Amino acid sequence: MKIRSVNELSEYRERIVKSHNPKKTTISICNGAGCLALGAKTLSELFENDVKKRNLDIEILKTGCPGFCEKGPLVTIFPQGIFYSKVTSDDVSLIIDETIIKGKIIDRLLYEDPNTKEKIKKVSDVPFYKKQTRRLLSLNDKIDPTNISHYIQYNGYSALSLALFIPQDEIIKEVKKSGLRGRGGGGFPTGMKWEFLKKENASVKYIICNADEGDPGAFMDRALMEGNPHLILEGMIIGGYATGSTEGFVYVRTEYPLALKHITIAIQDAEKLGFLGENILGSGFSFKIKVREGAGAFVCGEETALIASIEGKRGMPRPRPPYPIKSGLFGKPTLINNVETFVNIPYIIQNGGDDYAKIGTKTSKGTKIFALAGKVKNTGLVEVAMGTTLKEIIFEIGGGILGEREFKAVQLGGPSGGCLSSKDLDIGVDYESLILKGAMMGSGGMIVMDETNCMVELARFFMEFVQNESCGKCVPCRIGTRKMLDILTRLTKGKGKQEDILELKRLAKLIKESSLCGLGQTAPNPVLSTINNFPEDYRVHIEEKFCPLCKSKGVFPVRHFKPEEPKKE
């Protein structure tokens, strides 16, 4: 069946809505990658079998990731919104017996606020969710991402049905008015980028969705692809229409099998219903989308390396200009936005650029999803309005530092970002504020560290990552990062010299100014920010030749360990 007009889409949606009983009990089970790793697949099957065996009129809904990965597997019972965390196979029959049949709450499975010890019954009252502004993740616990009807039920493809009958320039005008900036790291204005492609006089133009999420600890794009893939497709199709493109590509790393599966199913279903293909909704506009798998190289997040990879070449960057907007995929004008950028588009079309811009700061509009990780009590995906302070994210949504230790640092922006200290906790998170402090938004990785973390070791960790991921094409990145890694490794072994700090700064300046692509140009950021914000950590390594923190359990959290007693070597 194909939907051939806006009226047919409205009628189709009406039938779906009428067939759905909002009062029907629904057991929503997170089937995102994190919860699947903790047994959610078995859990879902047990719920299905138990409900079937008892002949209960209950819907079992396997959803994407709602973000609270720390507490998985997650089960939410609608319409009441009862929220159970860390559910195991042994709890299935108990939940059916007590909560579904008798209407009783199982206290043991409720979320307990780590600070107040209060047991919280409803998902909407959990502080982790309550203090967020969830626009982009709002459907992740309400729809089956492999069922296109679920997306349509919640007004899916409504924005597309509006956009296709608006002049292209009007769409670009709304996107510019919204103030949306690219969520992949650079923060370039999206509307301006779209306008550049629209103005290119070419018979073939391409749109690419960059889903090569490579920052350590970041999984925002993966969660969106796993949990709401049609939202990405809708944003891409609108982008294709607005810029005069006829074909799109989703570039996904092969390490994301569930995301690959869901985006592929979504494309197939969108083609069957006519949201992709010829003459979409009778508008005369035709567009198709293909998926390309990447091999997981960090450098392929860079635009020109990504394009080379799609073309079947080795994923290596090339000098710019020409920029991809002029000469991109197969030499044709090409627009590249990342996953989180595209999923903002349907909201902007449906509500207008002015409405979108009501949230955020003067220069950074809308919401941003962060992957909150490290030494905080609540880890997971956090969607907040631009301008929300680091303190609010870490201490109110994240619940504060694990083990009641002292906050020491937060690392933002992955290997290209920087580390901020406690004096920066009150800054609102937006593009300019973070750059001013020596960090950057990046794709949204946010790793929190406590007093047991050594910042020299952290800098060494990220430099080692960059060195491993460097494609080796340009000398400053290939050789320069190797030199910096050697110095940092020497420092962590107590063999540093005072001159090492000056040498690190000299190499950092050289690499930033002369590397070919963004990977090299930003590689020294973690080192420079730790030198600037945590000089004492470097002093201890150089003057005392010993750091007790290097002997703790590393950058990433190992929970509930006992700190070792410092020993003099």
Side-chain angles (χ1 to χ4, degrees):
M1 171 196 167
K2 283 201 186 294
I3 297 173
R4 301 183 186 280
S5 69
V6 175
N7 283 341
E8 285 187 16
L9 174 59
S10 299
E11 291 167 5
Y12 186 78
R13 179 177 295 109
E14 274 183 30
R15 290 198 295 274
I16 295 171
V17 172
K18 280 182 182 174
S19 68
H20 176 74
N21 178 5
K23 294 181 180 177
K24 182 177 180 179
T25 298
T26 300
I27 301 176
S28 166
I29 307 158
C30 171
N31 272 243
C35 281
L36 283 175
L38 294 168
K41 184 172 185 290
T42 302
L43 200 65
S44 303
E45 290 169 354
L46 288 172
F47 268 115
E48 286 173 335
N49 292 337
D50 208 335
V51 164
K52 186 177 179 183
K53 190 170 69 180
R54 300 178 196 225
N55 198 25
L56 297 172
D57 185 22
I58 290 171
E59 183 180 1
I60 304 299
L61 184 65
K62 290 181 273 191
T63 73
C65 172
F68 206 177
C69 310
E70 169 76 19
K71 300 298 177 186
L74 306 174
V75 172
T76 309
I77 300 166
F78 293 107
Q80 302 94 328
I82 298 166
F83 180 68
Y84 288 146
S85 61
K86 297 195 174 182
V87 179
T88 69
S89 300
D90 294 337
D91 299 321
V92 171
S93 293
L94 184 66
I95 290 173
I96 300 283
D97 286 336
E98 295 297 311
T99 305
I100 302 298
I101 295 177
K102 297 177 184 174
K104 294 181 178 177
I105 300 298
I106 304 168
D107 196 64
R108 173 176 60 82
L109 296 176
L110 291 177
Y111 169 76
E112 180 182 284
D113 188 306
N115 297 317
T116 65
K117 305 303 177 189
E118 177 191 0
K119 296 273 190 178
I120 297 173
K121 177 181 167 184
K122 290 189 175 182
V123 65
S124 56
D125 293 330
V126 174
F128 178 80
Y129 290 120
K130 196 174 182 178
K131 295 179 184 296
Q132 296 187 41
T133 305
R134 293 170 70 87
R135 266 185 188 173
L136 310 178
L137 295 170
S138 63
L139 291 184
N140 269 37
D141 65 343
K142 295 181 179 62
I143 63 171
D144 176 351
T146 63
N147 189 332
I148 192 171
S149 296
H150 287 199
Y151 182 66
I152 293 174
Q153 178 189 337
Y154 287 94
N155 284 323
Y157 291 108
S158 291
L160 178 65
S161 69
L162 288 172
L164 291 180
F165 300 92
I166 298 173
Q168 293 164 299
D169 289 337
E170 288 298 312
I171 294 172
I172 292 174
K173 185 179 172 184
E174 287 303 313
V175 177
K176 289 174 76 174
K177 202 188 293 182
S178 73
L180 175 65
R181 297 169 65 174
R183 299 297 196 243
F188 192 84
T190 303
M192 195 180 294
K193 206 171 188 179
W194 285 25
E195 189 173 47
F196 290 157
L197 187 65
K198 163 77 169 39
K199 288 180 177 176
E200 287 298 312
N201 185 20
S203 57
V204 177
K205 302 178 193 175
Y206 295 110
I207 280 190
I208 297 175
C209 176
N210 183 353
D212 191 63
E213 190 173 47
D215 286 3
F219 60 104
M220 299 76 62
D221 292 349
R222 173 171 63 77
L224 287 166
M225 284 187 285
E226 289 177 0
N228 198 356
H230 285 285
L231 190 61
I232 303 164
L233 298 186
E234 190 172 3
M236 287 184 71
I237 302 167
I238 294 170
Y241 169 72
T243 58
S245 304
T246 55
E247 189 168 2
F249 290 85
V250 181
Y251 185 79
V252 193
R253 52 180 45 222
T254 197
E255 292 99 324
Y256 282 1
L258 190 61
L260 269 164
K261 178 184 172 185
H262 286 188
I263 199 77
T264 303
I265 291 172
I267 290 171
Q268 290 168 350
D269 288 345
E271 287 173 345
K272 285 176 189 168
L273 287 186
F275 299 120
L276 283 170
E278 302 295 322
N279 193 22
I280 299 170
L281 296 179
S283 65
F285 173 66
S286 302
F287 194 71
K288 54 186 177 181
I289 295 178
K290 296 175 181 174
V291 173
R292 288 289 182 270
E293 294 183 34
F298 182 68
V299 73
C300 284
E302 197 276 341
E303 289 186 344
T304 58
L306 185 155
I307 286 171
S309 180
I310 292 179
E311 291 174 341
K313 303 169 187 167
R314 181 178 170 186
M316 298 176 83
R318 61 162 171 78
R320 298 182 295 177
Y323 291 94
I325 285 290
K326 291 281 183 186
S327 179
L329 187 63
F330 305 119
K332 303 298 181 185
T334 303
L335 168 81
I336 303 177
N337 284 141
N338 88 330
V339 170
E340 195 178 339
T341 308
F342 278 121
V343 298
N344 276 282
I345 299 300
Y347 183 95
I348 293 169
I349 299 302
Q350 282 189 297
N351 300 279
D354 286 334
D355 183 88
Y356 182 90
K358 287 177 182 173
I359 288 182
T361 65
K362 186 177 179 182
T363 57
S364 303
K365 305 295 185 185
T367 62
K368 178 76 189 82
I369 305 174
F370 291 97
L372 183 63
K375 305 285 186 67
V376 282
K377 293 172 183 172
N378 300 325
T379 61
L381 293 181
V382 173
E383 185 180 356
V384 294
M386 289 282 194
T388 304
T389 66
L390 287 170
K391 185 182 287 181
E392 289 174 291
I393 296 172
I394 296 168
F395 289 91
E396 295 183 20
I397 297 173
I401 308 303
L402 270 174
E404 307 309 325
R405 292 195 176 100
E406 290 293 321
F407 167 86
K408 182 170 183 177
V410 57
Q411 205 279 344
L412 295 117
S416 302
C419 297
L420 304 182
S421 67
S422 56
K423 69 179 188 301
D424 300 314
L425 281 173
D426 288 324
I427 68 165
V429 176
D430 69 12
Y431 291 96
E432 280 69 28
S433 300
L434 292 179
I435 289 173
L436 195 65
K437 293 290 181 180
M440 65 183 293
M441 188 82 74
S443 60
M446 185 180 287
I447 301 170
V448 178
M449 284 152 279
D450 67 17
E451 58 192 304
T452 67
N453 284 119
C454 170
M455 305 312 290
V456 182
E457 169 57 23
L458 179 91
R460 193 206 61 77
F461 168 83
F462 277 111
M463 189 52 67
E464 183 178 53
F465 177 87
V466 170
Q467 171 55 205
N468 288 338
E469 294 291 336
S470 173
C471 74
K473 185 172 183 177
C474 73
V475 173
C477 182
R478 184 178 73 244
I479 306 295
T481 57
R482 178 76 252 174
K483 291 284 185 188
M484 291 186 77
L485 177 60
D486 288 345
I487 294 172
L488 290 164
T489 303
R490 202 153 34 75
L491 283 170
T492 56
K493 289 182 177 178
K495 297 176 181 176
K497 302 173 290 186
Q498 196 62 49
E499 310 88 86
D500 285 340
I501 301 298
L502 285 177
E503 181 62 5
L504 283 172
K505 289 181 177 178
R506 188 188 71 81
L507 286 168
K509 185 172 185 293
L510 187 150
I511 294 167
K512 284 171 78 70
E513 290 177 350
S514 56
S515 290
L516 177 60
C517 78
L519 186 147
Q521 291 159 8
T522 57
N525 287 350
V527 180
L528 291 175
S529 63
T530 51
I531 289 174
N532 291 335
N533 292 325
F534 304 93
E536 178 62 14
D537 284 35
Y538 283 87
R539 187 199 66 77
V540 168
H541 283 81
I542 293 169
E543 295 182 7
E544 301 183 19
K545 309 294 183 188
F546 172 76
C547 172
L549 301 183
C550 282
K551 292 186 174 297
S552 72
K553 306 300 182 184
V555 177
F556 297 99
V558 175
R559 303 287 166 82
H560 314 305
F561 66 88
K562 293 180 180 178
E564 296 177 358
E565 288 294 325
K567 294 176 183 177
K568 290 285 183 184
E569 291 180 336

